[in-house]
Amino acid sequence: MPLQYAGLIMASWIWSRGDVSMLGKIGLALTIANVGGVGINTAHELGHKKESVERWLSKITLAQTAYGHFYIEHNRGHHVRVATPEDPASARLGESFYRFWPRTVWGGLASAWRLEKARLARMGKRPWTMRNDVVNAWAMTVVLFGALIAVFGPGIAPYLLVQAVFGFTMLEVINYLEHYGLRRQKTPSGRYERCAPRHSWNSNSIASNILLYHLQRHSDHHANPTRRYQALRHFDEAPQLPAGYSVMTRLVFVPPLWRRVMDKRVIAHYGGDASLANIQPGQYARYGVTPSGESTGVAP
């Protein structure tokens, strides 16, 4: 966290200088965005912990990317609805990243607000209060950006915006690949089955695991959200990505290549029955499935 914010402050100073080209400033904004994206992963680790100090540090870390609502939506939304059509952070089979991005960004924000509004209503409180964790998280971003603009001038505002948007986009790239096409089935009672290792894509790539706090051991994280990253386990029975996140995040931006690599793995995971996957509406025919969710018997 200290290194993350030291980098942001140094970048703000460089953005304010007149002897640096616009191209150089944009390049720096994208670099800082990548740092902020890794910072979201730091916040993810801290936000799952029970200690209040770590939870506050999580929101402080998220302030740089203006994504403080992730603290609410991920813990109380995504972990409840993961690998279901109702989860905005679970990508669907046949859904490109460019269709997923607006759905998850807006859906996550709306979900976080609903969750906090409902929590405060049970306490007899209205949502527009600093006790709302979405509001106080957004306030941290306002204070941070306001302080930087006051010190370094309004000219840095566009670069702050660029690094924030690209920073949280890096998070959504990770969200896209972690559960792509995977779906929890409903039990006879109508409820979704318990989340299991088979509902998350995993990778045991050493380099990416070190950089991202073992985030690639995602199945164990969903089974034990408060378990610290050092203790997360690898499951051989979980569906495996063909490469680590550092490679797979590049494929995400080229949908035809992504589908060529991943769609067959999703279908193979379900024994060739694509009807068991979480399919993007409008893409059923591509995978030999009717809109009602039944297999047509036609191989995709």
Side-chain angles (χ1 to χ4, degrees), residues 157-198:
Y159 304 106
L160 287 174
L161 178 62
V162 167
Q163 67 83 29
V165 172
F166 278 88
F168 69 67
T169 294
M170 296 311 298
L171 162 73
E172 299 303 352
V173 168
I174 299 295
N175 277 340
Y176 178 82
L177 64 85
E178 284 178 333
H179 306 282
Y180 176 75
L182 303 179
R183 190 179 76 183
R184 288 154 57 197
Q185 308 304 313
K186 287 190 174 182
T187 65
S189 67
R191 299 172 63 90
Y192 284 108
E193 64 182 320
R194 184 181 179 87
C195 188
R198 63 181 177 275

Side-chain angles (χ1 to χ4, degrees), residues 261-297:
V261 171
M262 288 301 299
D263 283 13
K264 61 185 179 183
R265 287 178 165 82
V266 174
I267 295 170
H269 176 63
Y270 289 110
D273 187 357
S275 67
L276 298 176
N278 183 12
I279 300 178
Q280 170 71 9
Q283 296 290 318
Y284 296 106
R286 176 197 292 266
Y287 302 105
V289 177
T290 66
S292 62
E294 298 177 354
S295 176
T296 62

Side-chain angles (χ1 to χ4, degrees), residues 81-139:
R81 300 184 298 251
V82 62
T84 69
E86 291 79 18
D87 181 29
S90 293
R92 300 160 179 166
L93 181 64
E95 180 180 29
S96 74
F97 175 71
Y98 303 102
R99 294 193 66 172
F100 172 76
W101 189 89
R103 182 172 73 85
T104 189
V105 170
W106 173 250
L109 174 60
S111 174
W113 185 259
R114 286 194 301 268
L115 288 166
E116 273 299 272
K117 184 178 180 180
R119 181 182 71 87
L120 291 166
R122 291 192 295 268
M123 300 167 57
K125 305 287 185 181
R126 293 186 175 183
W128 288 104
T129 169
M130 290 303 292
R131 297 186 69 175
N132 183 325
D133 281 331
V134 176
V135 173
N136 60 52
W138 286 346

Side-chain angles (χ1 to χ4, degrees), residues 237-254:
E237 67 270 26
Q240 302 297 314
L241 294 169
Y245 281 13
S246 58
V247 173
M248 299 306 295
T249 53
R250 279 30 177 203
L251 296 183
V252 165
F253 292 106
V254 188

Side-chain angles (χ1 to χ4, degrees), residues 43-96:
H44 166 257
E45 172 70 14
L46 293 168
H48 273 295
K49 302 304 171 279
K50 297 178 181 179
E51 291 78 2
S52 59
V53 171
E54 289 181 291
R55 288 174 175 266
W56 272 99
L57 288 174
S58 173
K59 287 190 281 188
I60 292 172
T61 307
L62 291 166
Q64 175 181 331
T65 47
Y67 229 52
H69 60 276
F70 171 79
Y71 167 83
I72 298 300
E73 161 55 17
H74 180 81
N75 290 2
R76 289 160 45 199
H78 173 63
H79 270 261
V80 174
R81 300 184 298 251
V82 62
T84 69
E86 291 79 18
D87 181 29
S90 293
R92 300 160 179 166
L93 181 64
E95 180 180 29
S96 74

